[in-house]
Amino acid sequence: MAAGLFEGQYVWHPAADDRRLAGVCVDVRAGRRLSAHEALVEAGTDFGLRAHRSLVIASEAADSDLAERWLAEEQSPEAALVWARVAVLRALRAADARDDRAEALERIALTACDRAVTMDRADPTPWVARLSMARLHDLREPAPQGLLTQPPGPWRLFSHILRLDPWNREGHHRFLAFFFTRYGGSVNAAWDVAAFLSQRAPASSPLRLLPLVALVESYNPSQLLVDRTWEQPQWRSTALAIYQNWLPEVSGYRFTPVVDLAYLAHALFMAQREFEARAVLMAMGPYACRMPWSVFGDPEEQLSRARRGCGLPAPGPA
């Protein structure tokens, strides 16, 4: 992984510095699928890379018939996975928009996920795609021992993903999102689940960031001194531990984990640890993403504010 130097403008592309994936996105928008197939095959059993690439490809293909044409022409795990990803995206969009077609699209998505599972039973990604729809049918299974709030949720589906890939990044984030207040959960449940999942992960894992994700999700600008929350010892120490144990691992990644880096940079900046935040922002290079910055205002303005506060250049007026 090499993020590259910041040259005065942000790059808001989900492929970040995965150049192969960036090229695939161009092809998919043009209706071509061969490079997408090759990129997913090349990911092999690197399930983090396979999940990332398949989700980005699906986001480019969701408004076309490419996934359906691909599956009709080629009965492969890659074709089935992209169709499942596309079908789930469409189902979630329809549900969020209260579209009359939402139930039908969800049934299609569940069928697509089942088909992808049968094509490659070792790949957790179709199960992760299915997990992202758990909020649509409100799965409420008992929580295991060890959680203070004992929040019910899609625990069996999540456990199956962990059996296939114990530290699956997207699976953990999808599961945590089930407990967000915007999907019917609660702040306390989200914090409880985030703490439980992060504490069982290795110290060098990006899953240690889950409590910081839950903290951003619970942000309420109307609360008194809410922006000082990150300065509290528990949150400052959480961010610093991730900085010390996870950030050194990032140089070995196959693509820059922009979202994870952004959450860490934001937490350190808010905790007034500008030296450490600067190092994280430099690791991001020119690549940018909406979260977590959009929770606090315009994402570009918030990211630029953090960069300037750490003594780094940023686009636009100072």
Side-chain angles (χ1 to χ4, degrees), residues 129-254:
R130 186 171 188 143
L131 178 61
S132 68
M133 292 193 296
R135 62 181 173 86
L136 301 184
H137 32 90
D138 199 30
L139 287 176
R140 298 283 174 182
E141 298 152 359
Q145 297 297 315
L147 286 91
L148 294 174
T149 60
Q150 291 287 296
W155 289 97
R156 279 184 291 184
L157 180 52
F158 183 54
S159 295
H160 183 77
I161 292 168
L162 298 187
R163 286 194 291 272
L164 294 173
D165 185 16
W167 312 120
N168 187 281
R169 181 200 175 278
E170 186 185 343
H172 280 76
H173 281 266
R174 297 290 188 188
F175 184 68
L176 175 59
F178 179 89
F179 300 95
F180 290 166
T181 55
R182 57 188 155 119
Y183 298 139
S186 69
V187 169
N188 287 338
W191 280 348
D192 197 9
V193 170
F196 177 76
L197 297 180
S198 68
Q199 288 165 8
R200 61 184 290 278
S204 60
S205 170
L207 298 179
R208 291 284 178 151
L209 284 152
L210 290 172
L212 299 181
V213 175
L215 182 59
V216 168
E217 185 66 26
S218 69
Y219 179 75
N220 182 351
S222 67
Q223 292 179 343
L224 188 64
L225 300 177
V226 66
D227 287 345
R228 305 294 295 273
T229 302
W230 286 262
E231 298 176 37
Q232 294 176 9
Q234 75 174 102
W235 297 115
R236 182 176 283 173
S237 63
T238 295
L240 287 172
I242 298 166
Y243 170 81
Q244 292 162 359
N245 296 311
W246 173 66
L247 186 63
E249 303 291 319
V250 171
S251 61
Y253 279 35
R254 294 178 69 176

Side-chain angles (χ1 to χ4, degrees), residues 102-124:
E103 288 189 14
L105 289 172
E106 184 185 353
R107 288 194 296 271
I108 292 171
L110 290 171
T111 300
C113 289
D114 288 344
R115 183 166 186 169
V117 165
T118 61
M119 297 292 283
D120 187 351
R121 294 194 177 275
D123 185 4

Side-chain angles (χ1 to χ4, degrees), residues 1-57:
M1 187 279 294
L5 296 175
F6 181 77
E7 296 180 350
Q9 296 295 326
Y10 299 127
V11 178
W12 299 88
H13 196 290
D17 54 351
D18 185 340
R19 291 185 179 140
R20 178 159 203 166
L21 180 57
V24 168
C25 290
V26 173
D27 285 346
V28 168
R29 285 194 293 270
R32 299 187 293 267
R33 61 170 177 80
L34 179 59
S35 63
H37 173 88
E38 292 172 344
L40 291 174
V41 169
E42 193 254 346
T45 56
D46 184 340
F47 295 129
L49 184 63
R50 187 173 175 86
H52 173 66
R53 285 181 171 177
S54 62
L55 184 58
V56 173
I57 291 167

